[in-house]
Amino acid sequence: MGNRMRLPALLLCLFLSACISIPTPAERTQSAEQLVASHGWKSQLLKTNEYDLVAFSPMPMPAGEILTVYIEGDGFAWISSSQPSSNPTPINHLALKLALADPLGDPVAYLGRPCQYVNNDKRCKQSAWTNRRFSRQMINASSQSIDQLKQQSGASRLRLVGFSGGGAVAALLAAQRNDVSMLITVAGNLDHKTWSKHHRLTPLRGSLNAADAWQDLQAIRQIHFVGGKDKSVPPMVANAYRSRFPSSSKPSIQLLPEFGHHCCWVNEWPRLARATIE
């Protein structure tokens, strides 16, 4: 009986310890600020009709014909499979690290998702990073933010790079814009209907699905990097997306057998990114 009574208490202690170890939203934002400052980058708040988004880039933005925009994943959107977080600011900042490692030589900017790195915005409800994370409002806010970054660089074309859920955003942006010359995703959630079904999760009602936009993406050059050991967004998700396209315009899927959802993209990114323009 005594062991049975102690077990829930032990589990509670372990749970509380895990919670204590999670950085606060302010600490997560500060770590991103410190990371970009070490590279001479700065943050800026981009105001849109829907949400205010945070971007990181060199300031002033270098001029160039092509602007590469890295789009963050869903961040710390969930505490568990059934409990959303109170703030989706990323802990790992993987897309930001990819942006800082960009080797292509064109102007580069990183774009957070709505409600990331932002505190006390009353428009930020949990639906913004859960079931409506890919809603039309979210995509429009990202598009308006990219317009501002594009104007700052004087670029005429865009290269969009999205990580995880940011891959879905990048694809949906490319489908509705006419200035995207290349779409690149890293562990991208390109078909959230397939993804939800695979993980037995509630469908993302209220969200657009990148796979459904395939007709508007046929003319855009695409490369989608997929980790063979990625359990969060397994290869079947990208394959389901690719299956929507006719044989004459199927996008390129690059499978990295030993890569997971987070490993080992940052270290290998300079090599992988260069390969996209060869």
Side-chain angles (χ1 to χ4, degrees):
M1 176 68 77
N3 288 338
R4 292 178 185 174
M5 294 178 64
R6 285 197 296 269
L7 181 58
L10 175 60
L11 292 175
L12 177 61
C13 289
L14 291 173
F15 175 77
L16 290 175
S17 297
C19 289
I20 291 170
S21 67
I22 296 173
T24 66
E27 290 171 338
R28 286 175 251 158
T29 298
Q30 183 181 31
S31 70
E33 294 275 6
Q34 292 173 341
L35 179 61
V36 299
S38 68
H39 288 75
W41 287 27
K42 294 182 180 180
S43 66
Q44 60 177 310
L45 188 65
L46 303 173
K47 294 184 176 295
T48 78
N49 295 336
E50 304 289 348
Y51 293 90
D52 297 340
L53 276 68
V54 171
F56 297 108
S57 66
M59 297 289 283
M61 180 88 73
E65 183 180 350
I66 298 177
L67 172 65
T68 303
V69 180
Y70 286 77
I71 302 173
E72 188 55 81
D74 297 338
F76 185 56
W78 293 83
I79 295 174
S80 69
S81 60
S82 59
Q83 182 180 359
S85 72
S86 60
N87 186 295
T89 299
I91 295 175
N92 189 26
H93 314 294
L94 193 142
L96 178 55
K97 294 174 182 177
L98 293 178
L100 293 169
D102 183 276
L104 302 181
D106 297 308
V108 177
Y110 161 91
L111 183 64
R113 301 272 291 284
C115 302
Q116 294 180 350
Y117 308 105
V118 176
N119 294 316
N120 303 318
D121 188 335
K122 294 181 180 179
R123 295 171 296 180
C124 288
K125 311 298 184 183
Q126 286 183 338
S127 61
W129 54 90
T130 55
N131 61 298
R132 294 182 60 81
R133 71 188 80 170
F134 308 133
S135 69
R136 191 169 302 281
Q137 290 80 5
M138 301 297 169
I139 303 306
N140 288 344
S142 295
S143 189
Q144 291 171 33
S145 297
I146 288 175
D147 286 342
Q148 296 176 54
L149 294 170
K150 183 182 172 185
Q151 184 177 21
Q152 291 173 17
S153 69
S156 60
R157 294 181 292 150
L158 295 169
R159 181 187 294 117
L160 299 181
V161 184
F163 166 68
S164 192
V169 175
L172 290 166
L173 286 168
Q176 74 174 36
R177 299 181 65 101
N178 59 12
D179 56 358
V180 177
S181 59
M182 190 168 190
L183 169 64
I184 303 170
T185 68
V186 176
N189 189 354
L190 295 166
D191 188 340
H192 69 69
K193 293 178 182 177
T194 296
W195 173 80
S196 296
K197 185 177 180 180
H198 170 74
H199 287 294
R200 299 182 180 179
L201 298 173
T202 302
L204 301 183
R205 296 185 178 91
S207 284
L208 302 172
N209 190 25
D212 294 338
W214 66 269
Q215 289 178 307
D216 295 318
L217 290 164
Q218 291 184 87
I220 298 174
R221 187 185 175 205
Q222 305 179 53
I223 298 180
H224 305 287
F225 293 103
V226 177
K229 294 184 177 180
D230 190 341
K231 295 182 179 180
S232 297
V233 185
M236 64 179 296
V237 175
N239 291 335
Y241 169 82
R242 188 175 187 270
S243 70
R244 296 288 196 97
F245 292 78
S247 58
S248 60
S249 60
K250 288 189 181 296
S252 172
I253 305 292
Q254 299 293 317
L255 179 67
L256 287 301
E258 299 302 314
F259 284 45
H261 195 63
H262 293 94
C263 175
C264 309
W265 301 108
V266 175
N267 289 340
E268 294 295 323
W269 188 241
R271 174 181 65 84
L272 295 174
R274 289 191 191 96
T276 65
I277 60 173
E278 292 178 352

